Amino acid sequence: MDTQRSPHTKVFIQRDFSEGIPVKFQTRYPPELEGRVDRATYESTINTINEMFAEAESTGSRTYCESCFACLTAYLALMCMDTFYEKTLKKVRRYLEEQNQRIYMSRGVMIIDPAERGLRILEIDISSIDTPQR
Amino acid sequence: MRDTSPYYTVVSTTVSQVTGDGNDNQEVQIKMAKSVRRWEVFPGKNKFYCNGRIMMARQAGVFYLTCALIIITSGLFFAFDCVYLAQNVTPAIPAIGGALFIFVMATLLRTSFSDPGVIPRASAEEAAEMERQNEVANPNSPGTYRPPPRTKEVVIKGQVIKLKYCFTCKIFRPPRASHCSLCDNCVERFDHHCPWVGNCVGRRNYRYFYLFILSLSLLCIYIFACVLTNLILRAQDDNFLTAMKDSPASVIEALVCFFSIWSVVGLAGFHSYLTASELTTNEDIKGTFTAKRGQDNFNPFSKGSLLKNCLGVLCGPNPPSLLDRRGMVVPEPEPVSHVSVVQAEKDANAVSAHHEYYGSTQKTNNMGTNTVADRSVVVVNEESSPKKRDMISYQSPDGSINNKVPSVNGSGVIPAQNCIGKKNHIWDMTLNQLDYLGHRVNIYPASHGSVNYYRDPQEAPTRGELYVHSAGYPRSDDHQKYVLSRGVSADFPSVNY
């Protein structure tokens, strides 16, 4: 329970609505990360997440087929299968877990899965102690 | 004034982030062992069934009427008319009717029982951060608190969209979202609250809703046509009156269908128009994208062509529910851990929303109105480690613990006097006493809409950092931290009386 004593800074990355409702996070580099994570690493992470969401939100042949199939079964099929979007959410979660393990945790930074915050924001926790938390 | 008084910490119990004390953690753990699911502490006005799988609005009386009308009418149709028609015309009639009926019911239930696209409310931390950013963006009054601007503007495809701040959900609503007053939720791509389906219609269930009214209008027309056919065929053998006497059910069906066709078909037509132009009912009624005087106004969400818009609505991606209704509540710094706590939190939200809405410029007198603070604020002596119950524990000056709010009368400011010369006692504190204390030591320099005081070892330092500077108070002591919900925090090693 020592972590309770260590003060955390939380950075909230807001959604970027410039292209409409689809989920997209702002790619601006938060100054709080200065000295911990370099700009290129951070931006590549954010861009990867954004690409994953863009794919899920796009109306490609995959979503068309899925929706038509669900419609033909009177949407009963949706009860027993994961939609493409849900698979994407799992993919984002796995990706962020991997990134946290590989890069961010050792630098005292943790990116919280945006699904935990309702896809409204991307929360980044920065620990003020420099020791890795692993 | 003697400096004998111990350190006082103002503790709120509306946010149940109980940390820093072993006993408290255990208490929470025991509570959590009962495994509370998130839907049980959901702050909106919704009903949940099947352990959170089904989500509806609270008033669903009209929904049952809709179900009853559809089921009874179709039942009569299958029981009486279909038998005759299958024998005399073709057995395809009940088959088609059956398929239509199943589709109607499936889409209706899906519309009613699914999450319409509720946006989860912001956590306390997130809301505070948002407030801070707003204040930074509005730095013309450094010392005093000024209600920050409550709108944000974003540009979508060259069209400026205003994002309004939702005081209940503590978020800036995304474009096209709106707060449903009946369900008390912000809903993405909010269309309308439909009492007939007993749910909001939003981003996640608009497709099902549209298909429901489309198929229902087809079913209505189909049943009406079949019933007329039935009556006419029967009337060929005899006259029309005896035909009606022969099958009285047909008459009832014909009447129900005749009266509902107009509204249902009209609604289906209206929603077809909305679908084709990628609008919501909300936007259409408000005229959000209609051209105003001298202004070019267009719908930035339209995909360009009618067909593309229809396909986008009917076959677009299926956004998942963001609520995680069946997830377990974890004792985290999220204000969701116990039903009653959340209820209190809700009240607090309501009250603070009220205050903020009417713009608190200087100290508002909260006496009498802010009952939440009265109920939930308890002042604890620092030396005897804070006994924080789940909700409220009041300890009277002589040390006995009771659950009732001790009488305010006669103790307005007296506790402060009581504590002179006494050590190590805990007393409760109602709001006016807090006010009193606040002014004595000037912990809140400016207004404070709602008064939630909490001391949380995890949160306090962050907030301290955030707000101490803006409020102009130096940080001196690490474990004495007074954090106010308005974001003003101050440290003082001892309080003198």
Side-chain angles (χ1 to χ4, degrees):
Chain A
M1 289 288 131
D2 235 3
T3 47
Q4 284 170 0
R5 302 221 170 269
S6 72
H8 286 269
T9 313
K10 294 193 174 182
V11 182
F12 296 99
I13 308 295
Q14 303 290 328
R15 284 266 295 272
D16 178 0
F17 289 116
S18 59
E19 282 160 41
I21 326 183
V23 178
K24 190 182 172 198
F25 293 101
Q26 289 174 0
T27 48
R28 198 155 38 89
Y29 179 75
E32 286 88 344
L33 287 179
E34 205 80 61
R36 287 172 189 274
V37 182
D38 61 299
R39 194 174 285 257
T41 318
Y42 171 77
E43 277 175 2
S44 86
T45 307
I46 294 285
N47 284 332
T48 315
I49 299 170
N50 280 343
E51 274 164 31
M52 287 179 184
F53 277 115
E55 198 189 343
E57 301 262 8
S58 67
T59 47
S61 54
R62 203 175 159 160
T63 45
Y64 278 141
C65 291
E66 187 183 271
S67 303
C68 291
F69 171 68
C71 182
L72 285 179
T73 59
Y75 295 103
L76 297 172
L78 289 184
M79 284 185 201
C80 41
M81 69 178 215
D82 268 357
T83 59
F84 181 51
Y85 209 131
E86 282 163 342
K87 282 179 198 150
T88 308
L89 283 189
K90 281 181 191 158
K91 211 166 84 184
V92 170
R93 188 186 193 96
R94 258 182 278 122
Y95 173 74
L96 279 179
E97 261 167 27
E98 183 252 56
Q99 290 278 299
N100 276 334
Q101 290 280 330
R102 211 162 51 86
I103 304 170
Y104 293 102
M105 296 274 255
S106 56
R107 305 179 193 182
V109 177
M110 198 163 102
I111 302 181
I112 310 283
D113 178 17
E116 304 251 325
R117 302 285 180 268
L119 303 182
R120 263 182 295 108
I121 40 152
L122 188 68
E123 185 181 318
I124 303 178
D125 286 11
I126 304 169
S127 164
S128 63
I129 43 169
D130 288 326
T131 46
Q133 295 190 324
R134 245 190 290 182
Chain B
M1 292 292 169
R2 287 185 293 151
D3 192 8
T4 47
S5 55
Y7 297 166
Y8 294 104
T9 311
V10 191
V11 179
S12 153
T13 45
T14 55
V15 182
S16 69
Q17 315 153 340
V18 188
T19 41
D21 188 78
N23 290 333
D24 291 334
N25 272 342
Q26 269 177 359
E27 266 183 53
V28 171
Q29 292 300 328
I30 292 162
K31 288 229 162 59
M32 285 306 118
K34 278 191 288 180
S35 75
V36 179
R37 286 188 192 264
R38 295 224 173 151
W39 65 268
E40 292 175 78
V41 296
F42 184 70
K45 291 180 194 158
N46 288 86
K47 270 196 298 196
F48 294 89
Y49 297 106
C50 291
N51 207 357
R53 287 184 185 87
I54 290 175
M55 175 179 182
M56 285 180 79
R58 231 170 245 176
Q59 296 98 6
V62 191
F63 164 69
Y64 299 118
L65 179 71
T66 317
C67 280
L69 268 178
I70 295 172
I71 291 173
I72 290 172
T73 315
S74 311
L76 288 175
F77 171 69
F78 289 120
F80 297 102
D81 303 71
C82 271
V83 178
Y84 181 87
L85 288 171
Q87 281 167 359
N88 293 290
V89 187
T90 162
I93 285 176
I96 295 171
L100 257 179
F101 174 71
I102 288 171
F103 194 81
V104 166
M105 286 313 288
T107 46
L108 168 64
L109 295 184
R110 213 168 163 97
T111 316
S112 308
F113 291 166
S114 58
D115 165 17
V118 173
I119 306 167
R121 296 187 182 184
S123 63
E125 281 173 320
E126 196 192 323
E129 171 70 13
M130 197 81 90
E131 203 95 314
R132 189 186 70 85
Q133 284 180 357
N134 267 327
E135 266 173 281
V136 169
N138 198 25
N140 36 0
S141 50
T144 57
Y145 175 75
R146 159 93 56 96
R150 293 306 186 182
T151 52
K152 224 160 83 172
E153 283 184 350
V154 289
V155 179
I156 301 176
K157 293 178 188 163
Q159 174 86 302
V160 178
I161 305 265
K162 259 195 190 133
L163 306 188
K164 286 183 190 150
Y165 185 78
C166 178
F167 290 102
T168 313
C169 305
K170 310 254 188 248
I171 52 166
F172 279 98
R173 290 179 204 133
R176 311 193 91 180
S178 182
H179 192 86
C180 173
S181 53
L182 284 139
C183 302
D184 211 16
N185 291 320
C186 271
V187 178
E188 269 187 288
R189 199 190 180 276
F190 182 73
D191 196 86
H192 66 291
H193 180 94
C194 184
W196 294 95
V197 300
N199 204 350
C200 283
V201 179
R203 188 186 186 197
R204 289 194 71 242
N205 62 356
Y206 183 72
R207 173 184 308 171
Y208 311 125
F209 175 76
Y210 177 59
L211 286 173
F212 164 64
I213 48 172
L214 208 64
S215 55
L216 182 66
S217 50
L218 283 182
L219 183 71
C220 243
I221 295 171
Y222 185 77
I223 291 182
F224 192 60
C226 288
V227 165
L228 283 188
T229 317
N230 183 15
L231 286 175
I232 289 166
L233 284 180
R234 279 172 196 258
Q236 277 176 347
D237 308 333
D238 215 329
N239 71 8
F240 206 77
L241 273 178
T242 44
M244 275 163 53
K245 254 182 221 156
D246 277 351
S247 84
S250 303
V251 183
I252 301 172
E253 290 158 45
L255 280 177
V256 172
C257 285
F258 181 78
F259 285 112
S260 43
I261 269 182
W262 308 110
S263 48
V264 172
V265 171
L267 196 66
F270 174 61
H271 277 281
S272 300
Y273 151 71
L274 290 181
T275 305
S277 49
E278 181 60 52
L279 277 170
T280 66
T281 310
N282 194 29
E283 287 160 355
D284 189 68
I285 289 174
K286 284 188 183 161
T288 315
F289 303 124
T290 49
K292 291 174 187 109
R293 269 168 296 149
Q295 264 184 314
D296 226 14
N297 221 349
F298 66 98
N299 179 3
F301 304 106
S302 171
K303 293 190 179 66
S305 72
L306 301 183
L307 192 71
K308 267 190 192 161
N309 286 339
C310 285
L311 278 177
V313 167
L314 292 177
C315 303
N318 292 291
S321 177
L322 303 175
L323 291 178
D324 188 24
R325 300 184 294 253
R326 288 173 47 70
M328 292 297 173
V329 176
V330 275
E332 232 192 324
E334 292 264 320
V336 279
S337 61
H338 193 267
V339 184
S340 51
V341 174
V342 170
Q343 219 91 57
E345 174 77 2
K346 251 173 94 175
D347 292 350
N349 279 343
V351 171
S352 62
H354 183 80
H355 280 277
E356 282 168 306
Y357 198 73
Y358 293 106
S360 43
T361 48
Q362 256 302 319
K363 186 184 93 67
T364 45
N365 188 6
N366 289 313
M367 275 308 294
T369 54
N370 199 339
T371 51
V372 174
D374 273 350
R375 262 193 283 124
S376 55
V377 174
V378 71
V379 171
V380 189
N381 192 319
E382 178 69 22
E383 280 156 34
S384 68
S385 60
K387 267 257 157 44
K388 196 140 89 159
R389 303 280 139 145
D390 178 45
M391 259 307 274
I392 314 157
S393 66
Y394 294 97
Q395 204 158 18
S396 51
D398 49 64
S400 63
I401 299 172
N402 48 357
N403 294 334
K404 281 187 299 183
V405 184
S407 66
V408 184
N409 294 344
S411 65
V413 284
I414 292 171
Q417 291 158 2
N418 277 351
C419 74
I420 294 175
K422 280 191 190 176
K423 260 191 170 180
N424 204 15
H425 81 244
I426 302 168
W427 31 263
D428 45 273
M429 195 161 193
T430 48
L431 190 68
N432 60 338
Q433 292 153 4
L434 268 175
D435 261 348
Y436 175 75
L437 179 65
H439 288 297
R440 288 300 289 268
V441 296
N442 294 321
I443 50 171
Y444 27 112
S447 73
H448 46 281
S450 67
V451 186
N452 296 334
Y453 304 79
Y454 40 92
R455 185 181 136 273
D456 178 45
Q458 198 172 13
E459 196 170 8
T462 325
R463 289 194 162 205
E465 260 168 17
L466 298 181
Y467 291 112
V468 162
H469 304 302
S470 69
Y473 284 94
R475 279 177 76 196
S476 55
D477 192 341
D478 258 339
H479 70 272
Q480 276 298 305
K481 197 136 305 217
Y482 293 74
V483 182
L484 276 70
S485 75
R486 296 302 308 158
V488 185
S489 139
D491 311 323
F492 32 99
S494 70
V495 182
N496 296 344
Y497 289 104

